[in-house]
Amino acid sequence: MSFTSFVWEIGNISNKSSRKRHRLRRGQAHITPEASSSSSPGSPGSLTVQIEQRQWANLPPELLLDIIQRVEQREQCWPGRRDVVTCASVCRSWREITKDIVKTPELCGFLTFPISLKQPGPRDTPIQCFIRRERATSTFRLYMGLSPGELSKLLLAAKRVRRATGTDFVISLVGDDFSRSSNKYVGKLRSNFLGTKFNIFDSQPSRDSTVCSSCESCRKTHPGKVAPRVTTSNYNTAKISYELNILRTRGPRRMQCIMNSIPVSAIEGGTAPTPTAFTNCLDEHSSPLLDSAGRRPQVGSTSRSMQNVPLVLKNKAPRWHEQLQCWCLNFKGRVTVASVKNFQLVAAVEPSENVTITEQENVILQFGKIGKDIFTMDYCYPLSAFQAFAICLSSFDTKPVCE
């Protein structure tokens, strides 16, 4: 039985208990006129809507919990996963129960709600996605799926905007709206003029309570001032740098990512920031894991703490293949075309951080080419889909002094 038929049957059961009340209003249409949005609560149109919503909201909690659990367990991938989102869209009671049942990607390994794109991926099995590049429109689309031939779910989209001093990649939840004033805006990637250094900006802070409290304190301190109109805040959550290779004697590209919002303890049993909802708190640019002076904690500092040191990622060094006469990495079949853009990221740690060799060799993000304008992207904990996508976008920018 399909999900639509299943919900229809539940609706019929609920209708039996209120059939007498509907007989008095059998002549009324269920299509609410435009004026009903401003009508009084006691008007016939609003009363009909309230009765219909009450039928779904008044289902027994045990029955409702069993329904949503069955749907969540049955639909493990897209597009079937859409039924889980539909359950959360019925009414408030359905939404609260669905949010309690659906776990984060770290625990269940699935991407369900839009906020899942800002949450860390699973620890064991990476989430496999692919990126499609559209040269004509300078857009890049991230899809959920193993290959482009399958029915895929659009996760994120980015548009490249060239500036006089660098390049911006504006990231959105949809593929046709890249405005910063839109509620679909999730962040951006900004490069310098040479394309060697990048900054990842998030539309919301990784630690909401600290930033929101500072916003409130600012409003209390300056009650007489009128706050300027700000569309969306940007929070610097990561920095990406590519080593210069002007003489082309160092082999493939070398990159390093400083994840300011993720502590290094996250790869050794710790936790990474996991937002539960999109926030609208506006504040100045901030980096959660920077000190009060805006600097990153020094390696030899005596006050060094695993919780306050940001995670640093580096590309895994490839090996030279004598027979093929090229640099090679083991992508486990996920990459099939040689490209300067291909890379694997692992944790760059120091001996004092006591990180095991296994964790140091664990590939957190890998990106590679499989066809013309088609690339795979596999990521796992502690990176989120948004962070992984932004890192991969940096590989598309022109780097004449790094190759």
Side-chain angles (χ1 to χ4, degrees):
M1 180 184 298
S2 62
F3 175 73
T4 305
S5 303
F6 184 71
V7 174
W8 182 263
E9 291 294 333
I10 297 298
N12 291 336
I13 296 175
S14 178
N15 288 336
K16 293 180 182 179
S17 61
S18 57
R19 185 172 297 172
K20 293 182 180 180
R21 288 182 292 180
H22 281 283
R23 288 177 181 175
L24 300 177
R25 303 183 181 276
R26 183 171 297 177
Q28 295 182 356
H30 290 283
I31 301 177
T32 307
E34 294 181 358
S36 64
S37 59
S38 59
S39 60
S40 61
S43 61
S46 62
L47 184 60
T48 302
V49 175
Q50 293 177 7
I51 292 176
E52 293 179 358
Q53 292 180 351
R54 193 181 301 118
Q55 295 173 3
W56 297 104
N58 289 340
L59 286 177
E62 296 80 6
L63 176 60
L64 182 57
L65 180 64
D66 182 65
I67 292 173
I68 300 179
Q69 282 181 341
R70 292 187 180 186
V71 174
E72 200 276 335
Q73 294 174 1
R74 184 187 64 182
E75 305 298 347
Q76 301 293 333
C77 59
W78 289 89
R81 197 73 178 170
R82 187 186 299 115
D83 294 343
V84 181
V85 181
T86 304
C87 289
S89 306
V90 175
C91 61
R92 180 176 299 178
S93 60
W94 284 59
R95 179 165 58 253
E96 295 301 326
I97 294 180
T98 304
K99 290 171 61 178
D100 292 338
I101 293 176
V102 177
K103 304 301 180 182
T104 62
E106 176 188 357
L107 301 177
C108 68
F110 306 122
L111 299 175
T112 306
F113 301 114
I115 193 60
S116 302
L117 301 173
K118 294 291 186 73
Q119 297 173 342
R123 292 181 181 267
D124 300 328
T125 305
I127 294 181
Q128 297 179 326
C129 314
F130 69 91
I131 299 175
R132 183 185 297 274
R133 175 176 57 182
E134 299 180 2
R135 297 176 182 266
T137 57
S138 297
T139 56
F140 306 84
R141 302 176 187 270
L142 176 67
Y143 293 92
M144 179 73 183
L146 296 176
S147 63
E150 301 178 355
L151 293 176
S152 305
K153 163 68 177 176
L154 176 65
L155 301 178
L156 293 169
K159 185 176 181 63
R160 178 164 52 192
V161 181
R162 298 190 181 278
R163 302 177 293 108
T165 59
T167 304
D168 282 356
F169 291 85
V170 183
I171 305 175
S172 172
L173 292 173
V174 296
D176 55 357
D177 186 1
F178 297 97
S179 173
R180 281 191 56 190
S181 60
S182 171
N183 59 355
K184 305 299 182 182
Y185 173 80
V186 294
K188 69 178 180 180
L189 175 74
R190 170 165 290 183
S191 74
N192 62 354
F193 179 75
L194 296 177
T196 58
K197 296 184 183 298
F198 297 80
N199 288 284
I200 299 177
F201 295 95
D202 200 337
S203 61
Q204 68 176 41
S206 60
R207 297 180 182 180
D208 305 335
S209 59
T210 303
V211 178
C212 288
S213 62
S214 64
C215 292
E216 294 175 357
S217 63
C218 291
R219 287 193 293 267
K220 292 179 181 178
T221 306
H222 308 283
K225 294 184 178 181
V226 178
R229 184 177 180 182
V230 182
T231 55
T232 305
S233 293
N234 284 315
Y235 301 89
N236 192 344
T237 59
K239 295 183 178 180
I240 308 171
S241 60
Y242 288 81
E243 290 187 11
L244 296 178
N245 188 16
I246 300 178
L247 300 179
R248 299 184 179 183
T249 59
R250 297 182 180 179
R253 293 177 178 176
R254 296 182 182 180
M255 62 185 298
Q256 185 183 68
C257 306
I258 303 176
M259 311 304 298
N260 294 323
S261 60
I262 303 176
V264 68
S265 60
I267 63 173
E268 191 65 20
T271 58
T274 306
T276 57
F278 289 99
T279 60
N280 295 322
C281 178
L282 300 180
D283 194 9
E284 296 180 355
H285 295 19
S286 65
S287 298
L289 295 180
L290 299 182
D291 58 16
S292 59
R295 300 185 301 268
R296 193 163 71 95
Q298 297 297 323
V299 175
S301 176
T302 56
S303 61
R304 177 185 177 90
S305 173
M306 295 286 284
Q307 291 293 338
N308 297 326
V309 178
L311 173 66
V312 179
L313 303 177
K314 66 177 182 179
N315 63 308
K316 191 174 183 179
R319 61 180 180 85
W320 178 258
H321 199 288
E322 291 293 342
Q323 296 181 350
L324 299 178
Q325 290 295 302
C326 65
W327 297 96
C328 296
L329 279 172
N330 183 13
F331 289 96
K332 298 181 180 180
R334 289 285 290 161
V335 178
T336 57
V337 180
S339 174
V340 70
K341 298 179 176 62
N342 301 345
F343 66 82
Q344 290 180 332
L345 292 185
V346 295
V349 296
E350 298 181 4
S352 59
E353 295 173 348
N354 297 325
V355 178
T356 62
I357 301 298
T358 304
E359 292 294 338
Q360 296 181 27
E361 295 295 330
N362 181 40
V363 176
I364 298 177
L365 169 64
Q366 74 172 19
F367 171 79
K369 190 173 184 179
I370 60 174
K372 184 179 181 180
D373 297 327
I374 301 294
F375 303 81
T376 59
M377 186 194 85
D378 303 340
Y379 76 97
C380 60
Y381 195 90
L383 291 183
S384 65
F386 164 74
Q387 294 168 335
F389 184 46
I391 295 175
C392 293
L393 288 175
S394 68
S395 184
F396 288 104
D397 201 23
T398 305
K399 302 172 182 59
V401 297
C402 298
E403 301 173 357

